[in-house]
Amino acid sequence: MPRVVHFDIHAENPERAAQFYRDVFGWTIVKWEGPMEYWLITTGPKEEPGINGGLMKRHGAINGDSVIAYVCTVSVDSVDAYLQKILSHGGSVAMPKMPIPGVGWIAYVKDTDGNIFGIEQNDPAAR
């Protein structure tokens, strides 16, 4: 059964947002050394319940089109297959499938109420 495994925070100023979450919750937030601007968030020890996430620069102005929330991501075995299932059940695509180099594939979708969530497929060969 697919589970929520990750969250992303979209921010106008990622460094400011990272400092906020460090100061408020004590989270460890470090810039990813990958090919895109992204910060990795560790919310606690692996042996405790919870998930970790990431932080990225918001794309677009806050005008109803950009993401202004935490986006939960569900791990799936095939982004393509789940995109078809989502569309056939009344959902829509918010961000098309794209690679996260060395990690996998991701897409953002909307449910029938307009809520955005991510679907992610592990694939270290993704480019």
Side-chain angles (χ1 to χ4, degrees), residues 3 6 10 32 41 51 55-56 60-61 64 76-78 113 116:
R3 296 191 63 185
H6 186 82
H10 296 250
W32 184 44
I41 300 173
I51 61 174
L55 177 65
M56 68 176 70
V76 297
D77 56 3
S78 169
D113 287 294
I116 293 176

Side-chain angles (χ1 to χ4, degrees), residues 18-40:
Q19 194 59 53
F20 171 83
Y21 287 102
R22 286 184 193 111
D23 292 345
V24 171
F25 296 119
W27 291 349
T28 302
I29 304 175
V30 296
K31 191 161 186 193
W32 184 44
E33 296 300 325
M36 53 196 281
E37 189 177 8
Y38 193 77
W39 288 258
L40 301 170

Side-chain angles (χ1 to χ4, degrees), residues 10-93:
H10 296 250
E12 179 181 340
N13 182 330
E15 291 177 5
R16 179 183 65 208
Q19 194 59 53
F20 171 83
Y21 287 102
R22 286 184 193 111
D23 292 345
V24 171
F25 296 119
W27 291 349
T28 302
I29 304 175
V30 296
K31 191 161 186 193
W32 184 44
E33 296 300 325
M36 53 196 281
E37 189 177 8
Y38 193 77
W39 288 258
L40 301 170
I41 300 173
T42 303
T43 62
K46 288 181 181 181
E47 52 278 353
E48 291 182 9
I51 61 174
N52 295 317
L55 177 65
M56 68 176 70
K57 185 161 182 62
R58 179 180 295 117
H59 298 279
I62 298 178
N63 62 3
D65 294 331
S66 63
V67 177
I68 55 170
Y70 284 46
V71 175
C72 290
T73 299
V74 177
S75 179
V76 297
D77 56 3
S78 169
V79 166
D80 293 327
Y82 274 85
L83 282 172
Q84 287 183 345
K85 286 176 82 168
I86 289 161
L87 294 172
S88 71
H89 287 85
S92 61
V93 175

